[in-house]
Amino acid sequence: MKTKHDDGDTREGPRLDKWLWAARFFKTRSLAAEEIGKGRVSINEQVAKASRELRLGDRVQFRQGPALRTVVVLGLSHVRGPAPVAQALYEETPDSIQARERAAQARRQGVEPAASIEQGRPTKRDRRTLADWQRWSASVDDDEGG
């Protein structure tokens, strides 16, 4: 879709998948397109297609890892550039930043699953002993039943 600008020329805005890749939210364009195809990306609170063209001021919401991010489009780019240039293409909303910080804090304060293991992983010798015990206990049960 061609858009007419104040200076009189017509330019196309970048596709959503290309912009997400150029802004360095996703490592590859196909990963961005895959997330969009699953309905996990919305623009201005509407589920978007990968081919949707972005405009300045659009509000893009998507999940990146465990965090839900909301960014406002400040710049349009068809190419992937250095990280500082990519970061200038968007501004993350304050609510989104706070939510990510809360999620990170909750992960840091969460219980470590490995802390509940007292003796650690059984050794090969322990596993063999356990297997022998299970084999013999099964045969003992069969003898008592008969």
Side-chain angles (χ1 to χ4, degrees):
M1 178 169 114
K2 302 248 181 204
T3 55
K4 188 164 184 159
H5 296 276
D6 294 336
D7 54 0
D9 69 341
T10 56
R11 290 181 277 182
E12 287 187 23
R15 293 169 47 106
L16 176 60
D17 60 343
K18 199 168 195 177
W19 185 85
L20 287 170
W21 166 75
R24 294 183 169 262
F25 289 116
F26 295 97
K27 196 169 189 172
T28 65
R29 189 171 160 193
S30 61
L31 286 174
E34 185 178 321
E35 288 296 303
I36 295 166
K38 292 178 181 176
R40 296 180 182 167
V41 179
S42 62
I43 298 177
N44 300 327
E45 317 221 336
Q46 294 180 344
V47 177
K49 294 181 179 179
S51 61
R52 174 141 180 338
E53 293 182 10
L54 281 177
R55 294 183 181 86
L56 295 177
D58 279 347
R59 190 181 202 93
V60 181
Q61 188 173 30
F62 59 95
R63 185 166 297 283
Q64 188 175 33
L68 185 65
R69 296 186 74 171
T70 304
V71 297
V72 177
V73 178
L74 298 179
L76 303 174
S77 177
H78 293 275
V79 295
R80 186 175 173 110
V85 173
Q87 290 170 350
L89 297 177
Y90 64 91
E91 178 183 21
E92 190 168 5
T93 62
D95 293 338
S96 177
I97 294 170
Q98 288 177 351
R100 278 193 310 120
E101 289 173 355
R102 282 194 306 267
Q105 186 69 20
R107 281 193 309 274
R108 281 193 291 273
Q109 294 177 348
V111 179
E112 174 63 34
S116 64
I117 300 173
E118 295 176 4
Q119 297 177 345
R121 184 176 173 195
T123 63
K124 189 171 186 178
R125 177 189 232 173
D126 293 338
R127 288 194 306 272
R128 285 181 178 165
T129 304
L130 183 61
D132 285 342
W133 182 80
Q134 287 175 344
R135 184 176 60 227
W136 289 111
S137 66
S139 63
V140 170
D141 290 340
D142 290 341
D143 291 341
E144 290 177 2

